[in-house]
Amino acid sequence: MLISHDDHVDNLDTEGRRFALDAPRILTNPGAAGRLGTSAQGLAPWESVQLHASDGRRAVTVQAVPAVHGPADGDRDAGGNVTCETTGFVLTGDGLPTIYLSGDNASLEAVADIAARSGPIDVAVLFAGAARVPGRQHERLLTLNSAWAAAAAEVLRAKLVIPAHIDGWAHVTEGVDDIRRAFEDAGISEVLGLAALGHWTVPPTPTSG
């Protein structure tokens, strides 16, 4: 189980927490690991672990990557984090697509750093929705908006983008139509995968070696 952060119910609600705690292993940020129990392991940015298949022949490397849950110059908590401690993940493995899970990240600078270190991304799951909360970070963006999600897709050279965090909560201010329009405006609508369209086909990745 990969958990970006455990502080907010729109990211980890009661049922999600119950489901997570039943998992044999949780990977998350260090602060959350201390709250989620013995099955949780906290990863600092750029730290990696390998997960092995039951037959031992295939492994997935999970790397924690930076995420900024609000404006980079925004208010910080006692730990120096914007809004709260948050992490993203990059998953890689021989013969497998490279997958980026942004978590609640609003920083294109963090995305550019990830792209520079990880190379092209096959599948990017981007938390968008232009989340804003009254009284928090002066109501500035806490996640990517649609235009920034399109920009992130271009920076990552993503073959497929799956937008997340774009409905179901009052503080999510942009939805599916906004995402679709932003990707069309950027000329990259062909990479956008939306559940409503049923087009979640992952491009094949050549096996190394």
Side-chain angles (χ1 to χ4, degrees), residues 136-173:
R136 183 173 296 169
Q137 299 298 345
H138 310 286
E139 298 188 34
R140 296 166 69 189
L141 288 171
L142 302 179
T143 60
L144 299 172
N145 62 19
S146 298
W148 290 3
E154 293 187 292
V155 169
L156 294 164
R157 292 178 282 170
K159 297 177 182 176
L160 175 67
V161 174
I162 299 174
H165 204 284
I166 57 174
D167 58 21
W169 296 92
H171 61 286
V172 172
T173 63

Side-chain angles (χ1 to χ4, degrees), residues 1-37 39-44 51 62-65 67 84-91 101-104 127:
M1 178 70 67
L2 305 180
I3 298 177
S4 167
H5 64 287
D6 69 325
D7 307 74
H8 303 140
V9 294
D10 62 325
N11 185 73
L12 190 65
D13 62 14
T14 301
E15 186 59 33
R17 185 179 296 271
R18 185 181 300 115
F19 184 80
L21 293 177
D22 284 339
R25 189 171 186 182
I26 296 170
L27 300 178
T28 186
N29 66 67
R35 294 184 290 270
L36 291 171
S39 64
Q41 178 180 353
L43 299 178
L51 305 179
V62 179
Q63 182 179 45
V65 295
C84 69
E85 187 178 13
T86 308
T87 188
F89 300 96
V90 171
L91 282 60
L101 306 171
S102 74
D104 276 3
F127 287 40

Side-chain angles (χ1 to χ4, degrees), residues 31 39 50 72 120 131 150 153 167 180 182 190-191 199:
S39 64
Q50 273 202 335
D167 58 21
R180 185 183 288 109
E190 72 280 357
V191 306
H199 290 164

